[in-house]
Amino acid sequence: ADELYTEGMVGTFDSEGTEAFLIGPRYDFETRGIRAGYEFNDYWAIEGELQVGDQAETLIGGENYLDAQVNLRSNAALFARMSAPVSERISMHGRLGYSSLELANSTVGHSGRYIETFEGPAYGLGAKLDLTDKVYLRSDYTEYKSDVRMSKAFSLGAGVNLFHGAKVVNDLRD
């Protein structure tokens, strides 16, 4: 492999509190994002990704609470990816890494925003289909955990292998 790659992705991102004071509500976002990485060989890669929410979710406060809007401001993560080729063009992979999730909260009708950051381990599974030597499709299911939130994401992406590292080194030598 020895390749640098990049892709665009769309997906869903669900986040829910796990501590007593944060249990519910569950936030469901549609996302878009980018991912870039480097494949050292057919089995190992390192990659980073950034996702943002496409829309805010409105929470109805009820009798004693104000209505609020919550937005997925960002989810940034860094992963080690382990791949297993299934055929010449299809591979399965697992990912293990660390993420930082930011949710932006604002009270409807008020100008202030409150940003909450949740950090912790992330892991997931996925598959990749090489359409050509340069272009591929990819899907991933990833779970992100922190002390007080559990988030799950599903993404579909299309990507491009930018260059083969060994070819670039050889071209520079010539």
Side-chain angles (χ1 to χ4, degrees), residues 49 75 77-80 82 93-99 120-126 140-146 149-153:
E49 68 183 31
N75 183 52
L78 185 62
F79 292 97
M82 299 72 52
H93 59 263
R95 307 189 310 158
L96 180 61
Y98 191 81
S99 72
Y123 49 88
L125 298 171
D140 283 276
Y141 171 80
T142 308
E143 293 189 358
Y144 305 88
K145 293 194 175 202
S146 74
R149 291 206 79 71
M150 171 64 179
S151 303
K152 299 173 184 178

Side-chain angles (χ1 to χ4, degrees), residues 6-171:
T6 186
E7 72 184 69
M9 59 185 176
V10 296
T12 61
F13 193 95
D14 302 326
S15 187
E16 190 167 10
T18 59
E19 293 293 319
F21 68 95
L22 286 175
I23 289 179
R26 177 182 168 147
Y27 308 130
D28 299 313
F29 302 106
E30 293 178 7
T31 62
R32 56 191 147 82
I34 57 173
R35 182 181 291 131
Y38 186 79
E39 286 186 344
F40 299 100
N41 54 44
D42 289 339
Y43 305 100
W44 294 99
I46 188 167
E47 61 188 21
E49 68 183 31
L50 176 66
Q51 298 175 72
V52 296
D54 281 340
Q55 81 289 339
E57 179 145 327
T58 300
L59 305 174
I60 306 302
E63 183 178 318
N64 297 320
Y65 300 96
L66 297 172
D67 293 350
Q69 287 189 328
V70 179
N71 192 16
L72 173 61
R73 183 174 160 142
S74 67
N75 183 52
L78 185 62
F79 292 97
R81 190 185 82 209
M82 299 72 52
S83 296
V86 175
S87 70
E88 185 178 327
R89 296 244 178 237
I90 298 172
S91 63
M92 304 294 288
H93 59 263
R95 307 189 310 158
L96 180 61
Y98 191 81
S99 72
S100 178
L101 164 68
E102 285 190 354
L103 296 175
N105 300 301
S106 60
T107 303
V108 176
H110 293 66
S111 61
R113 284 184 102 179
Y114 175 68
I115 308 289
E116 294 179 283
T117 302
F118 306 96
E119 297 182 345
Y123 49 88
L125 298 171
K128 179 179 163 188
L129 170 65
D130 293 320
L131 300 175
T132 69
D133 287 341
K134 294 255 183 214
V135 179
Y136 64 87
L137 299 175
R138 179 172 159 175
S139 67
D140 283 276
Y141 171 80
T142 308
E143 293 189 358
Y144 305 88
K145 293 194 175 202
S146 74
D147 291 341
V148 295
R149 291 206 79 71
M150 171 64 179
S151 303
K152 299 173 184 178
F154 178 74
S155 64
L156 295 172
V160 169
N161 295 319
L162 299 175
F163 72 83
H164 295 282
K167 181 183 181 321
V168 170
V169 171
N170 290 335
D171 288 349

